[in-house]
């Protein structure tokens, strides 16, 4: 196989040494089935990607596409004997078209870099995962990534107009349209988005850019406890104001941030709602938000300039330190907004009942919660079995409230066990048939994303 | 077949008389292959839809789903000997959930009726085709309908969270999530949206509602000619202001409206940009729009209250009178925004060169244009062949500029001939494989939407 690969990819970018294989073996999600790739290919252009897929297809070798490996669900974990196909070197911004308000990029472009390129034109790429400085647009597309300002601006799918995709057999296709609207044929673009590398390799992305807001206003609202902060989210909704950012951080998260970054958030309350309004109405919207949050008992302060940016950066860093494992797992459930208060209370109950630690951040405007449960390492198996019970229970409760097992991180490898709790056998079957139509030999990221 | 149908659907709703079959035989699009249905079924619930599909699947009879038959591309035209499966009686709004900001409806609900139900809660269903008072949400979903306020709020796909779908063999599945975000498995919801009844019958729709704007401002900007108005669209874009509505009407359209509705638009200019800003920043945005449009030579007037509403209603009626046929065809191309001025001029050139009449309305904010070409009936074949040459040429030019053959109306039956001009054989092939995975017997709206 390596020989076949070398016939179309420069030798320095076909890595078979132990170190390389090890460092490309996993992403930042929990690892359930450790596996090593046979080889890592650092593709530099579309031809090379096509070559890799042709080889893999002929030889029946699994291929795991990889951006920067920041997945939190094991979507980019190696499967035994696979080719890791890294797109990180395909990182050119092909063009920003200010009048068309679109940009065309290679998949390895870092999300934040596109925003840097768009800003001078008064434009932005809206979907901004907290990992925006370290994750690729290809990875964002493959997971349909969300982020902080998605409540107002939509998720990745809502900003992607067209894709270039290399199919399982090496065929290159183009889907979608450069125009803002287009309904010719099936929405293949949307089908590839969120398919986690199981239907094709994304090698080109055309996105719609939105307007950089003329103004933003940032508010920090501190609450006495978590359910009160969740109620604040509903109060803003009831006022029919749509913030660009509406993030919730619980007391444990504040304590961890304070310890790590020498901030003093914990002194100000036991739960924080971070609200940003933007656009021509930013000030008026912030005034309404301030009023309704004070009415439900919050201490609200307007954060100016650098401080506002710092607070948002703190939120982005709220996951903090490294990868998930057996002793710590970050979740990604979503619930209908009306259930936020109840679900926040349920999370605290579950942690208490099962004796596990909990911290919570949430893209609260979307009802998308990231509880992290953890247990001390020295508790060994006893701890991890309580941890897993808490995870299962938190997912079950979310589903019972009409929620989903994954709001934005994807199913990957880790959440496969929960997928049948959410999807009916008929849906699972239909997805399998789609997978087969795209990838009859089953070589694209097998064992991920769908049951 | 009728007997089989009667075993699961009330006799009064299985129509085989000539009149009924005739009146359900076509939609408002041009008719290329006249055909009569064998039977019309007016389904009243999901069970009945499942029953119809089971019968059709067993007997291999084609089924054409139908909302209100307002399609402009022949998507709802009968195919020979088919069952017309009308969903118009399944028109209950199951629930509006104000705190969750979602609604659940049956497919036969008229778009405008959902908005009436949402408004008391300060909510709206954003996608508003000009046909909002006469088309169904099922039809909107099946065509991924656009509308007037889609530049700001997105198209149907961007507002639909979940679907209940009856598959070709009668199986009922549920796709998507009630939460605003959710990435578990493939995006089947998006795949059904815009599939024009070829992959399944939509029997339930869960939509996200947006906030009714606190304020709107409407401007009427009159220009000396069409390209100048198109340049106005770009000027607003360059100012990075996002109107909710940005519609363009040419001089011929103004003349037709004036004649039909006794308005006096034509006196004010030869092309009109109708701009509405909304939300907390509406006034500030309108002020910027007014300034930049005046700077490019427009006469801009703020329209207040009833007058603003009247102008928008006029725009919605701009298609006016009835169905398309051999002598008149309305188009639905879209081009990248930067090409608007050039393309508007090209349309006028094509009409001139080929001696056909032209009028144009456009969802200009999206680059989505609806030119209507027509020739006098008494010219017979000579006229229609010039008409078709103009249509072909307008589509070719749009594609050459990076555009699409259909921005929102769908391919249906009429635009199938142009689809291979836009899609590569590999994409066409991939779509066929998807179709086969969903509908192996090929009974769902055969000969529509995909090549
Ligand atoms: C600190 C931190 C914060 C985060 N915050 C968020 C957040 O707010 N919102 C959010 O949605 N996610 C978040 N994530 C998760 C992660 O960053 C996203 O899933 C991101 O989209 C992954 O990008 P990546 O380039 O690292 O992709 P990878 O992790 O390398 O891959 C992710 C998946 O996409 C597939 N893939 C990658 N590139 C391609 C391609 N070109 N073609 C086909 N398939 C491909 C892989 O096979 C894998 O299944 C966060 C992660 C971290 C570590
Ligand atoms: C005056 C006028 C203005 C218009 N303006 C716009 C506009 O601004 N934007 C726009 O996008 N369109 C517009 N249209 C086109 C048309 O109204 C839309 O395509 C609309 O979505 C069709 O809805 P319908 O209920 O009439 O569906 P139909 O015409 O009955 O059907 C349309 C297609 O959807 C399928 N279908 C219908 N219901 C279902 C279902 N429940 N399950 C599966 N498939 C189904 C049909 O088979 C057919 O392929 C306009 C039409 C008119 C006459």
């Amino acid at each position: 196989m390596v020989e076949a690969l070398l016939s179309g990819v420069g030798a320095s970018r076909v890595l078979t040494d132990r170190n390389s294989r090890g460092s490309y073996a996993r992403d930042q999600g929990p690892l359930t089935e450790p596996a090593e790739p046979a080889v890592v290919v650092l593709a530099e252009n579309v031809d090379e990607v096509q070559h890799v897929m042709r080889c893999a297809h002929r030889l029946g070798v699994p291929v795991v596409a990889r951006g920067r490996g920041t997945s939190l669900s094991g979507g980019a974990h190696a499967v035994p004997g696979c080719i890791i196909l890294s797109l990180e070197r395909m990182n050119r911004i092909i063009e920003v078209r200010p009048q068309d308000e679109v940009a065309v990029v290679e998949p390895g472009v870092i999300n934040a870099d596109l925003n840097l390129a768009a800003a001078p034109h008064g434009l932005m790429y809206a979907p901004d995962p907290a990992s925006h400085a370290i994750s690729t647009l290809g990875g964002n597309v493959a997971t349909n990534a969300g982020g902080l300002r998605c409540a107002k601006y939509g998720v990745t799918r809502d900003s992607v107009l067209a894709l270039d995709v290399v199919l399982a057999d090496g065929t290159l296709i183009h889907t979608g349209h450069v125009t803002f609207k287009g309904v010719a044929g099936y929405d293949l673009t949307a089908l590839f988005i969120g398919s986690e590398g199981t239907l094709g390799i994304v090698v080109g992305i055309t996105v719609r850019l939105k307007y950089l807001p003329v103004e933003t206003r940032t508010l920090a609202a501190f609450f006495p406890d978590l359910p009160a902060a969740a109620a604040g989210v509903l109060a803003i909704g009831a006022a029919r104001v749509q913030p660009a950012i509406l993030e919730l951080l619980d007391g444990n998260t504040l304590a961890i941030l304070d310890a790590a970054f020498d901030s003093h958030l914990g002194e100000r309350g036991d739960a924080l709602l971070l609200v940003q309004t933007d656009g021509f109405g930013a000030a008026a919207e912030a005034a309404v938000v301030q009023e309704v949050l004070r009415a439900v008992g919050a201490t609200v302060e307007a954060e100016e300039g650098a401080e506002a940016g710092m607070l948002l950066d703190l939120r982005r860093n709220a996951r903090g330190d490294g990868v998930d494992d057996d002793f710590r797992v970050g979740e990604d459930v979503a619930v209908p907004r009306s259930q936020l208060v109840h679900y926040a209370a349920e999370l605290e109950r579950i942690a208490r009942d099962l004796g596990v630690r909990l911290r919570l951040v949430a893209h609260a405007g979307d009802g998308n919660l990231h509880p992290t449960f953890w247990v001390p390492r020295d508790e060994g198996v006893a701890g991890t079995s309580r941890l897993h019970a808490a995870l299962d229970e938190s997912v079950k409760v979310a589903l019972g409230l009409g929620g989903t097992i994954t709001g934005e991180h994807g199913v990957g490898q880790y959440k496969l066990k929960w997928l049948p709790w959410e999807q009916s056998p008929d849906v699972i079957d239909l997805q399998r048939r789609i997978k087969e139509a795209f990838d009859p030999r089953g070589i694209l990221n097998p064992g991920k994303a769908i049951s």
Side-chain angles (χ1 to χ4, degrees), chain A:
Chain A
M1 172 176 59
V2 173
E3 217 150 282
L5 291 171
L6 285 170
S7 74
V9 184
S12 65
R13 291 178 289 99
V14 178
L15 315 176
T16 51
D17 63 297
R18 187 145 222 194
N19 259 354
S20 304
R21 288 189 293 125
S23 64
Y24 281 89
R26 66 167 301 186
D27 61 32
Q28 300 203 27
L31 192 63
T32 48
E33 302 160 29
E36 281 231 328
V39 52
V40 178
V41 178
L42 310 175
E44 273 185 359
N45 55 53
V46 175
D47 285 345
E48 291 184 353
V49 173
Q50 289 186 276
H51 176 75
V52 170
M53 289 315 303
R54 282 192 206 107
C55 296
H57 195 251
R58 204 175 55 238
L59 302 169
V61 178
V63 175
V64 179
R66 183 182 174 99
R68 289 281 183 158
T70 68
S71 164
L72 296 171
S73 54
H77 284 344
V79 302
C82 73
I83 301 169
I84 294 283
L85 177 52
S86 168
L87 288 311
E88 68 199 297
R89 299 232 179 157
M90 291 177 64
N91 62 356
R92 284 180 311 153
I93 296 173
I94 310 281
E95 49 174 349
V96 175
R97 290 159 57 173
Q99 248 191 346
D100 288 332
E101 301 162 15
V102 304
V104 183
V105 302
E106 291 185 333
V109 170
I110 299 287
N111 179 302
D113 289 343
L114 174 56
N115 270 303
L116 286 179
H121 304 287
L123 297 168
M124 66 177 186
Y125 174 66
D128 61 335
S131 57
H132 71 142
I134 51 172
S135 67
T136 69
L137 287 164
N140 294 173
V141 166
T143 56
N144 191 13
L148 274 61
R149 49 191 183 210
C150 294
K152 175 166 178 177
Y153 291 100
V155 294
T156 298
R157 192 197 65 186
D158 302 307
S159 280
V160 174
L161 298 173
L163 293 175
D164 300 304
V165 181
V166 174
L167 300 179
D169 64 0
T171 308
L172 174 67
I173 64 165
H174 182 77
T175 71
H177 37 83
V178 187
T179 50
F180 290 172
K181 286 156 66 181
V183 294
Y186 298 152
D187 194 345
L188 298 178
T189 308
L191 188 58
F192 283 114
I193 294 171
S195 70
E196 305 189 36
T198 65
L199 297 180
I201 311 292
V202 175
V203 293
I205 307 165
T206 302
V207 299
R208 175 175 176 176
L209 301 169
K210 298 281 172 76
Y211 300 153
L212 263 185
V214 284
E215 201 186 344
T216 60
R217 293 294 168 100
T218 309
L219 301 173
F222 288 89
F223 293 81
D225 57 41
L226 179 60
V233 175
L234 292 182
I236 296 172
R240 302 306 185 214
V241 175
Q242 179 64 69
I245 294 178
L246 180 44
E247 296 287 318
L248 185 156
L249 295 79
D250 77 344
N252 278 342
T253 303
L254 299 182
I256 288 167
L257 287 175
D258 284 346
F261 299 101
D262 211 20
S263 49
H264 303 275
L265 301 169
E267 293 166 11
R268 298 163 72 184
D270 202 49
L272 166 61
L273 267 192
L274 207 50
V275 189
Q276 187 168 85
T277 58
D278 72 5
F280 285 87
E285 290 174 332
V288 177
V289 170
Q290 181 147 342
E291 195 189 308
V292 301
L293 290 185
R294 284 197 175 134
V296 296
T299 312
V300 188
E301 280 164 61
E303 307 286 327
E304 314 278 328
E307 267 167 60
M310 208 197 59
L311 262 182
L312 287 169
D313 280 344
L314 279 182
R315 158 59 188 98
R316 292 200 180 90
N317 288 318
R319 271 196 61 86
D321 45 342
V323 302
D324 283 351
D325 60 23
D326 253 14
F327 298 94
R328 183 184 81 167
V329 176
E331 260 311 316
D332 174 41
V333 291
V335 296
R337 282 172 51 128
S338 66
Q339 303 301 321
L340 271 175
V341 181
H342 176 61
Y343 189 67
E346 281 289 278
L347 285 173
E348 294 191 319
R349 176 193 63 75
I350 292 167
R352 228 173 19 243
D353 284 2
L354 288 162
V356 301
R357 306 289 305 277
L358 165 71
R359 67 174 198 245
L360 175 70
V361 294
H363 304 305
D366 293 319
N368 182 198
L369 303 106
H370 298 313
T372 296
F373 291 104
W374 78 100
V375 291
R377 282 180 185 275
D378 54 22
E379 291 193 20
V381 179
T384 58
S385 77
R386 288 197 329 271
L387 174 69
H388 291 130
L391 291 165
D392 285 353
E393 175 74 4
S394 72
V395 167
K396 250 180 226 155
V397 172
L399 288 172
L401 298 172
T404 175
I405 66 170
T406 177
E408 57 178 21
H409 292 167
V411 170
Q413 190 178 69
Y414 190 73
K415 289 174 207 143
L416 265 187
K417 60 183 170 188
W418 295 323
L419 194 53
W421 298 3
E422 177 162 347
Q423 294 189 325
S424 71
D426 288 323
V427 166
I428 289 172
D429 180 54
L430 196 57
Q431 294 180 146
R432 274 211 200 106
R433 278 185 271 154
I434 293 174
K435 167 76 175 170
E436 248 179 62
F438 280 73
D439 178 19
R441 303 202 63 178
I443 58 175
L444 284 167
N445 215 3
K448 312 280 181 69
I450 60 167
S451 294

